[in-house]
Amino acid sequence: MAAAPIRIYDPGDPRIAGFVSIRERDLTGRDGLFIAEGTVVLRMLGQGAARGNGFAAEAILLLENRLARLGEVLDAFPESVPVYVAAQPVFDAIAGFNMHRGVLALGRKPAADIGASLLGRLPAASLVLAGCGLSNHDNVGSIFRNAAAFGADAVFLDETSCDPLYRKAIRVSVGSVLTVPFARGLAAEAMLRGLFEAGFEIWGLSPRGEVPVAAIPAACRIALVLGTEGEGLPDSILSSFRTARIPQRPGLDSLNVATASGIALYQIALTMGRVS
Amino acid sequence: MAAAPIRIYDPGDPRIAGFVSIRERDLTGRDGLFIAEGTVVLRMLGQGAARGNGFAAEAILLLENRLARLGEVLDAFPESVPVYVAAQPVFDAIAGFNMHRGVLALGRKPAADIGASLLGRLPAASLVLAGCGLSNHDNVGSIFRNAAAFGADAVFLDETSCDPLYRKAIRVSVGSVLTVPFARGLAAEAMLRGLFEAGFEIWGLSPRGEVPVAAIPAACRIALVLGTEGEGLPDSILSSFRTARIPQRPGLDSLNVATASGIALYQIALTMGRVS
């Protein structure tokens, strides 16, 4: 049962300090907190936390006219999570911009995991993504959305990839960063070595890959490795593992890395019989 | 041979009025002009115009330190296209924001085409996209990038879809809106009827589609129809044509429409033997 809503009249009210100027502040990486936006993401945060996925809500802030429609979504949160409500001018003054969605939550991240714990929890048959140098929040958000759509079991990100719990990445992922398990923080080589030692067939995705993605054979455990846009995967990685390409017209700028992840996941999930 | 560069010292100089406050102004749809950003797009504009694709440059504005590296790119433009050069503070004052790329062109669109002329120019074997209600510039830009990657012959957009020559769409497309022929402006039904009468097998893409995209049979002419994100294609279209889906995990928010276009194009291009 959700808490009774508390009306906020003053944008300077200390109770909603965590929601102030969210566009300017990068909450991620500080205090273990993150900002979730929108009804879909709020629902996923509540359901996931209720299932014990490690995420939790610290507080919820709603535009007043959103409250009536959110009863069922709010019911997923325990009564200990305060629900604040504000009129549009107050809400905008808090957020620092005109925030059409009118639905915000301050979330708390689970304990950080650089990879070992997540590796140990993966099912015997697994499809995972491994990102190296994915520094664009839109791309990382899209990659998680694709991972969820094709049932990837986890996403591993190296130390140079950005935090998927940054506000914009969460939004672009449509909340999938709250549902697809991930780990982040190892050097790329150590991350891939860990996957290799855990029995993963490792495939680097590159426009210069040796075989088309449709020729990646089914395997019990497959890790698809994605590099940063522009540069792509470094030669040290491309030369250490097998590589696959997405067939496309020659002479063009390669596909966006998030789109490429979607195409490769689609093809591998088909090959592995994970979707039909 | 490009024109000799002209140095600009005053952001109010009338010669560069077309570049003022480009982020605030939506040039598209007015005066037949558009703004192209970045070296890659500038190169595509110059090469395309030189090939006679209907696009032309009215003027070029560069950050002073970009000039030396752009010699070959600028050589594609006729001497009648002025090349203006400005120092960073002047450049930023013109553009209205800190514009890291430092490469801008004011382009002129070809004569508008709502579809009939483009239909008549398509090759016998064609793969085209048809967009209905694609109102997000990022998605439209990404869709053109995918169309180029998989060699689609054209993109048709209905009257409710946004203009691909909007600044952000051009940038996200990495210039593909200047190379993939497109038409825009018919009602969705008339647009699809035109394609049908031109011999296209018409396939609506929808999470509720009847067959997986891999089951779309090869055909001489295929049109893949994309709907707006969220709503998807209207029932009137889904019930009038065959429909295909991208196999994915049930119960999730569907794929982003641009990602879905990439996956479907990949699969259809493979089926049609257009990429390998």
Side-chain angles (χ1 to χ4, degrees), chain A residues 81-225:
Chain A
V81 178
V83 177
Y84 301 110
V85 176
Q88 185 88 56
V90 178
F91 192 98
D92 291 351
I94 296 168
F97 64 108
N98 182 254
M99 213 280 181
H100 307 287
R101 279 184 189 80
V103 176
L104 290 172
L106 187 64
R108 181 165 290 283
K109 305 178 188 181
D113 177 10
I114 59 170
S117 164
L118 177 55
L119 260 187
R121 293 198 310 275
L122 289 175
S126 288
L127 169 60
V128 305
L129 290 175
C132 303
L134 300 178
S135 55
N136 178 294
H137 289 107
D138 286 275
N139 284 337
V140 167
S142 295
I143 286 168
F144 271 81
R145 186 173 177 181
N146 296 337
F150 294 109
D153 297 285
V155 175
F156 292 81
L157 296 169
D158 77 337
E159 60 188 357
T160 67
S161 295
C162 66
D163 188 343
L165 291 172
Y166 179 77
R167 188 173 65 89
K168 197 173 180 196
I170 300 175
R171 190 179 70 213
V172 172
S173 83
V174 198
S176 298
V177 296
L178 306 178
T179 61
V180 178
F182 72 88
R184 173 170 162 264
L186 288 176
E189 293 71 18
M191 173 179 77
L192 298 180
R193 195 183 320 121
L195 286 164
F196 179 77
E197 288 169 359
F200 280 86
E201 309 269 340
I202 296 183
W203 287 90
L205 189 64
S206 164
R208 295 170 285 143
E210 302 150 53
V211 303
V213 284
I216 295 177
C220 189
R221 296 190 138 189
I222 292 182
L224 178 70
V225 189

Side-chain angles (χ1 to χ4, degrees), chain A residues 145-146 148-151 174 213-214 229 245-249 252-256 258-259 262-263 266-267 270 274-276, chain B residues 145-146 148-151 174 213-214 229 245-249 252-256 258-259 262-263 266-267 270 274-276:
Chain A
R145 186 173 177 181
N146 296 337
F150 294 109
V174 198
V213 284
E229 241 188 282
R245 66 178 182 277
I246 294 168
Q248 57 191 284
R249 288 296 167 104
L252 290 162
D253 195 69
S254 68
L255 291 161
N256 164 273
T259 304
I263 295 170
Y266 157 79
Q267 182 63 67
L270 270 188
R274 295 169 73 96
V275 294
S276 61
Chain B
R145 186 173 177 182
N146 296 337
F150 294 110
V174 199
V213 284
E229 240 187 283
R245 66 177 183 277
I246 294 169
Q248 58 192 284
R249 288 297 166 104
L252 290 162
D253 195 69
S254 68
L255 291 160
N256 164 273
T259 305
I263 295 170
Y266 157 78
Q267 182 63 68
L270 270 188
R274 295 170 73 96
V275 294
S276 60

